[in-house]
Amino acid sequence: MTDFAATRALFHLPPGVIYLDGNSLGPLPRAAEARAAAVIREQWGERLIRGWNDCEWMALPTRVGDRIARLVGAPAGSVITGDTLSIKLFQALAAAIALRPDRRVVLSDSGNFPSDLYIAQSLLDSLGQGHELRVVAPEAVADAIDDSVAVTMLTEVDYRTGRLHDMRALTASAHAAGAIALWDLAHSAGALPVDLAGADADFAVGCTYKYLNGGPGAPAFLYLAPRHAETARPILSGWLGHRAPFAFERDYAPAPGVERMRVGTPPVIALSVLDAALDVWDGVDMADVRAASIGLSQRFIAEVETRCPQLTLTSPRDPHARGSQVSVAHPQAYAVMQALIARGVIGDVRAPDLLRFGFTPLYLCEEEVVRAVAILADVLATGSWDRPEHHARAAVT
Ligand SMILES: *Cc1c(COP(=O)(O)O)cnc(C)c1O
C-alpha cells in the first residue's frame, strides 16, 4: 500500500491552504527546490558548458521520459520530454497524419481543450490538402469513427467535466477503422492508471505541471509506439532530433526511435526540476492513487450535495466515468471561487460557470476535503462571494 502520509511530507504546502488545484498546477516537491538550487549553482555555475557532458544534460529528455513512461504504461525508450504540450501535440498529430496519407479527417470532440483544437486546425490548414477537423460531442466519438478518419485525437479526461473516455475501446475502434489513435494525457498522467501499451495507443502526449508536479511551464512529454518508432516522420525536425547532431550534416536524418521527436536544446533546469519532482512517485502504486482519489472525490460530492444546494454537479456521478477532478456549476462561479480562495481553499473556474476541484491523494486528505466544503457552504450561505472585490477579474483563471 502506498503511504500517503509519507508522500505528503515530500511537498511544500503553504500553511492555511487547502489545495484543490493540483489538476492545473501541482505543488512544489521539496526535492525539486533543492535540485533547482543545485543545478543552477553547481552545474551551470561551476561546470559551465562542460555540464553538457559532465552532468549528462543531453540525456535528460530521454532519462526523464523513461520515468514518465513507467507512470503511463509505456516501455522504456518510448517517451521523450521537452517543449510544451501544444508543441508535442503538433508533432504527434503531424506524424500521425503522415502515416495515413490517403485519409483527410482528424476526429476530436467538443470537450477537448481549446489549444488541442486550435493546433489541429492550424496544422490541417497549413497542409493545404483539404484535411478536415471533425469535432463531435464526446458521447458521439465512438459512432463517428469510420474509414474516412486518419487520426482520432482525443483527450482522455475532459478538462471541464472530468469525463473519462474509454481509451482501450476507442483505440480498438480507431484501429478497426484503419485510423491512428493519438491520446492527450494532460489530466491523466499522475491522476489515474494509464496503460498506453496495453491500450495499443499509437501516440500520446501530456504535460507535467499538472498531476506530475513539475512546476509552472514544466516540459511536456510525447509517447511514440515502438511499432512506429522507425517510420514516424518528425515534423519540426530540429538538430537534436537528428541521428548525429554534432556531425552538423547538411541534410536531416532522423534519430532512431522517439529521440527523433526532440527539437532543440533541452530546458536543462526545468527538466532537472521535473526529474526531482518525479522522485515523489517512487514506491507509489497508481492503483492506490486512483482508489484514494475516488474516495476523496466521492466524499467531496456527498458533502457538496448535503451542504451546498446552490451547486449542480456537472461531472459524471460514476467515479469510474471521470478522472481525478470534479466540477460543479454556479451562475457566479468566478466570484464564488475568489471568495473561496480568500478563505484558503484553492480551486479554479472554467468559463462560463464551472467551479473545478482536483483531488490529489499524494498530498490531500479527506479531512481537508470536508473542511473545504464546509467553507464553500459558508461562502454560499452567507453570500460573502458577492462582495465587489470577488468580482474583479484576473488575467489567469
Ligand atoms: C493543460 C492542457 C494543455 C496546455 O498546453 P500547454 O502547451 O502546456 O500550454 C493542452 N491540452 C490539454 C488537454 C490540457 O489539459
Side-chain angles (χ1 to χ4, degrees), residues 23-24 83-89 111-117 119 154-159 184-187 205-210 217-220 350 356:
N23 51 305
S24 212
D83 311 301
T84 68
L85 174 50
S86 300
I87 288 172
K88 277 350 212 185
L89 179 81
N112 206 343
F113 191 75
S115 194
D116 296 41
L117 298 176
I119 290 277
L154 300 168
T155 297
E156 189 186 20
V157 178
D158 187 303
Y159 75 105
D184 188 328
L185 304 178
H187 297 278
V205 292
C207 52
T208 62
Y209 48 79
K210 293 171 180 161
R350 284 297 171 259
R356 191 174 67 153

